[in-house]
Amino acid sequence: MVKIAPSILSADFAFLADEIKKIEVAGADWVHIDVMDGQFVPNLTFGAPVVKCIRKTTEMFFDCHLMVENPEKYIADFKAAGADQMVVHVETTKHLHRCIQQIKGEGMKAGVALNPATPLSTVEEILPYVDMVLLMTVNPGFGGQSFIESMVPKVARLRKMITDAGLDVDIQVDGGINDKTAVLVKEAGANILVAGSYVYGAQDVKAAIESLR
Ligand code: DX5
Ligand code: ZN
């Protein structure tokens, strides 16, 4: 089963509660929350205080994508704010295994994310410890960028790595996902699709979400 996780990066931040309700009634599975620090990526968004506020408005699964340096500093804050999952970039921490253990220790699901140019070998040793691997299909930092086609075989290679290891790990893709690129990544083995501008820019949000399944 494919899960759809609309990214609120493309929502109107002045009406966040309404924007989340909009995707909830349209049948989205998760809320994808893009946290950016202006250091790891050239953009700033929001942190745990905003997550805490929106937590009061919905029961939906909060999938927090941390595009920040040293994400281990924020694990307790995100747990307290009501995050269900934290996904950290392998490029952002010197102690990835410890970071993942801390996220799991807080009772959250844990994922690792890879930039387009980061090889799959960087997740080989951590695969048995994570619930999900996020493969970026654009360079992180902004919504509305074009899908990088060469990431499709990368998804397929990761799916094979997971199967060969006898593991049950989800593959999420993020960036440039629409009704066309969704077909390619699903065929390659991705089962959780993030979409920001495609969902929030649609006239009919429900139809947009359905078109990705
Ligand atoms: C990019 C973010 C994405 C972003 C995707 O750094 O991680 O989640 O919202 O936006 P679209 O779907 O518009 O490419
Ligand atoms: Zn994201």
Side-chain angles (χ1 to χ4, degrees), residues 32 34 65 67 174:
H32 184 80
D34 285 306
H65 176 195
M67 287 159 277
D174 183 6

Side-chain angles (χ1 to χ4, degrees), residues 19-121:
E19 294 279 79
I20 292 168
K21 197 52 76 181
K22 192 193 280 184
I23 57 167
E24 183 170 3
V25 299
D29 299 285
W30 289 1
V31 185
H32 184 80
I33 300 174
D34 285 306
V35 178
M36 304 185 187
D37 68 350
Q39 298 291 321
F40 176 59
V41 290
N43 197 8
L44 274 171
T45 53
F46 39 68
V50 170
V51 174
K52 187 178 176 191
C53 290
I54 57 177
R55 183 71 288 175
K56 290 181 249 167
T57 74
T58 179
E59 304 264 286
M60 284 185 86
F61 186 93
F62 279 1
D63 169 33
C64 299
H65 176 195
L66 273 81
M67 287 159 277
V68 307
E69 296 288 353
N70 304 311
E72 53 278 350
K73 290 198 290 196
Y74 309 103
I75 295 170
D77 288 351
F78 273 82
K79 172 63 185 178
D84 295 294
Q85 167 162 278
M86 284 181 77
V87 181
V88 301
H89 274 258
V90 300
E91 303 90 354
T92 58
T93 177
K94 289 195 176 77
H95 298 286
L96 184 60
H97 183 274
R98 180 187 291 146
C99 186
I100 294 298
Q101 293 289 81
Q102 285 172 347
I103 295 169
K104 303 287 278 188
E106 289 281 8
M108 293 181 282
K109 291 180 83 179
V112 285
L114 270 66
N115 282 344
T118 304
L120 290 176
S121 57

Side-chain angles (χ1 to χ4, degrees), residues 7 9-10 32 34 36 65 67 136 138-145 174-177 194-198:
S7 164
L9 185 62
S10 292
H32 184 80
D34 285 306
M36 304 185 187
H65 176 195
M67 287 159 277
M136 291 304 304
V138 299
N139 287 291
F142 304 94
Q145 303 180 82
D174 183 6
I177 299 298
V194 175
S197 51
Y198 179 73

Side-chain angles (χ1 to χ4, degrees), residues 148-198:
I148 302 171
E149 293 270 347
S150 60
M151 294 300 106
V152 174
K154 189 180 185 184
V155 173
R157 281 186 286 120
L158 176 59
R159 179 50 74 198
K160 183 170 187 312
M161 260 172 83
I162 292 168
T163 306
D164 289 351
L167 296 168
D168 180 19
V169 176
D170 291 317
I171 300 180
Q172 184 179 60
V173 285
D174 183 6
I177 299 298
N178 56 36
D179 54 343
K180 313 273 185 317
T181 55
V183 176
L184 306 175
V185 291
K186 284 185 295 183
E187 261 173 25
N191 65 315
I192 304 178
L193 275 52
V194 175
S197 51
Y198 179 73

